[in-house]
Amino acid sequence: MTKQSFIKGTLILLAAGIINRILGFIPRITLPRVIGAEGVGLYQMGYPFLIVILTLITGGIPIAVAKLVAAAEAEGNETRVRSIFRLAMTLSASLSLFFTATIFLSARRITELLYTDQRVYSTILCMTPIILVVGVSSVFRGYFQGRQNMIPTAVSQVSETVVRIGTMLGFAYLMLPYGLEYAAAGAMVGVLVGEVVAFLVLAGLYQSGRARLASERGAGSGKRLPFSRLSGLKEILKLAVPVTGSKLVGSFSYFFESILVVQSLAAAGVATGLATAQYGALQGMVIPVLLLPSALTYSLAVSLIPSLSEAAARGDMKTIHSRLHQSLKLALVTGAPFAALMFVLAEPICRYMYGQPEVGTMLRMMAPAALFIYFQAPLQAALQALERPGDALVNTLIGSSVKLTLIWLLASRPEFGILGAVMAICVNIMLVTLLHWNSIVRSLQFHMQLSDFAKVALSMGATGVFSHLLMVTPWLDSSMWRFLISCAGGMGLYLILAILLKLFDKNDLFRVFWLGKKFVK
């Protein structure tokens, strides 16, 4: 089983994440043009409910598997590794089957009780098989991450994205003549096909890896130490339940947000169809642009959990501080130019991506919160890895309560409408990030240099001003070319400033390029 270092594992996931983000934007850009903002709204309204169910099943089990497998492998106890995997798979598959059957049989009732737009029913019905597929796949991912082998996760992610692009758009287009609700449901079927492919990839890699391990054990390697299944199940639940609880708060918040936004807009006098379209623009167009740079923060978070868990088991505080500082600085430095460009180029981004420049108002409002999004993922991963999920739970609960309250107070007022929901979401993102930061500082006595933040702020400001001037100055007749050059010019200036201000040095770049070549090979 191939094991990678923290940096190499992060870069493997980062490469896959970048490919996924780039490829994933094909349906993101094309789907609104095929089924419109209202169709995207129907598709997006079903998603938060799916996320809640998936969180119940996969919220903590993969993380528990990753931590326990990493610890067992460090002991050389392969019997324990296999038992953890089998227990987790049985638990996840059982929960997945139960929720799949329950939701499939009660989909009509769920739609009537929770949604103002009854057209969501078809989407909910088509998404139920995803629960079982993702539930089983998540255990495979936790197993590979625990062995610090990020290649299977990366390969499965890319495979899922490539397949989903064609199936999602194809089914949506084929079902469009039957109505928007069927087109949205067709898009969800495309997601299901992609998840099935990802599962097949993970299962195949697991079987091949298992065969290699069997041959190694036959040669005399590995320990066969006793392991109690009951104690193993208790360990999994002990780690999984608090993490699941923490993630459930965020998932329920997202779910209630999808309902509350539409209901608040209705209270403000917005028609149901228009409210669905506005919510679709927010969740299906604006949020994906904001999350584009999060490929790095996701990679950092996934790699950080086994790395910090291993260091914590050794009591190695120096490594914990080093890994955490490395992750947070990378998230800050790499996310900053994207936040600056999204702020100054919001309208042209939405014009050329979606053909809807008016959506740029929401993107500009959320751009300052983007940095907090990128910073939040490594912080939350650190709290989970250091067995402080209770802190993450409380922080997320506080932020969610504030967000939902503000959505009702602001979005229900005609003068704010959907922009009130945008303001509430921004407040939630910034508040939860600051609370996570406070928890980390208190538990680890951790700190970062204020000069790093000042240097990033200076580089962001210069990047924003330079890109804005390139865009608004009519030095070229084609606004499209001005937009592309302003993006490239802003990124180039930021990279130069980051090197001059020593936010990263040439050795970091050489290391990235070297690992990149190894990954390609």
Side-chain angles (χ1 to χ4, degrees), residues 286-480:
V286 175
I287 299 296
V289 175
L290 286 174
L291 295 181
L292 179 61
S294 65
L296 173 65
T297 54
Y298 167 78
S299 307
L300 290 169
V302 170
S303 299
L304 198 59
I305 290 175
S307 178
L308 289 188
S309 298
E310 193 175 287
R314 299 194 308 267
D316 187 355
M317 292 303 296
K318 183 178 179 181
T319 298
I320 291 174
H321 278 246
S322 173
R323 290 282 185 263
L324 187 55
H325 183 272
Q326 192 176 40
S327 300
L328 291 173
K329 187 175 179 181
L330 274 171
L332 181 68
V333 172
T334 56
F338 291 95
L341 292 178
M342 285 186 283
F343 183 78
V344 299
L345 301 175
E347 278 81 8
I349 287 173
C350 293
R351 177 188 301 118
Y352 296 121
M353 288 187 68
Y354 306 117
Q356 299 189 37
E358 66 277 6
V359 177
T361 302
M362 288 189 280
L363 179 59
R364 176 172 287 111
M365 288 180 65
M366 296 198 71
L371 266 183
F372 290 84
I373 296 176
Y374 314 144
F375 212 60
Q376 188 179 121
L379 290 172
Q380 183 149 335
L383 289 173
Q384 293 166 356
L386 299 174
E387 298 186 5
R388 301 296 296 269
D391 290 350
L393 173 61
V394 172
N395 297 342
T396 307
L397 182 60
I398 292 171
S400 299
S401 301
V402 171
K403 177 182 71 172
L404 295 175
T405 302
L406 288 176
I407 286 176
W408 178 249
L409 292 176
L410 298 176
S412 59
R413 297 176 62 177
E415 63 267 32
F416 290 126
I418 190 66
L419 298 183
V422 172
M423 287 184 255
I425 294 170
C426 289
V427 170
N428 168 68
I429 292 167
M430 292 186 282
L431 178 59
V432 172
T433 304
L434 292 174
L435 290 173
H436 282 353
W437 171 261
N438 182 59
S439 298
I440 288 291
V441 169
R442 284 191 295 105
S443 62
L444 295 178
Q445 302 302 309
F446 178 79
H447 70 278
M448 290 182 68
Q449 296 292 332
L450 290 176
S451 59
D452 288 339
F453 294 99
K455 291 174 183 177
V456 170
L458 176 62
S459 302
M460 282 181 67
T463 298
V465 171
F466 184 61
S467 297
H468 176 71
L469 291 175
L470 286 176
M471 185 66 205
V472 300
T473 305
W475 58 285
L476 278 177
D477 293 334
S478 172
S479 61
M480 167 69 88

Side-chain angles (χ1 to χ4, degrees), residues 35 144 170 217 230 263 327 414 420 473:
I35 63 176
F144 286 120
R217 285 196 297 273
L230 181 59
Q263 291 182 344
S327 300
T473 305

Side-chain angles (χ1 to χ4, degrees), residues 268-292:
V270 180
T272 301
L274 180 58
T276 301
Q278 289 182 339
Y279 182 75
L282 173 60
Q283 290 293 341
M285 301 180 193
V286 175
I287 299 296
V289 175
L290 286 174
L291 295 181
L292 179 61

Side-chain angles (χ1 to χ4, degrees), residues 77-78 97 110 154 175 219 242 262 265 347 384 416 436 495:
N77 191 346
E78 284 297 329
L97 282 169
I110 291 170
M175 299 303 293
V262 177
L265 292 176
E347 278 81 8
Q384 293 166 356
F416 290 126
H436 282 353
L495 181 61

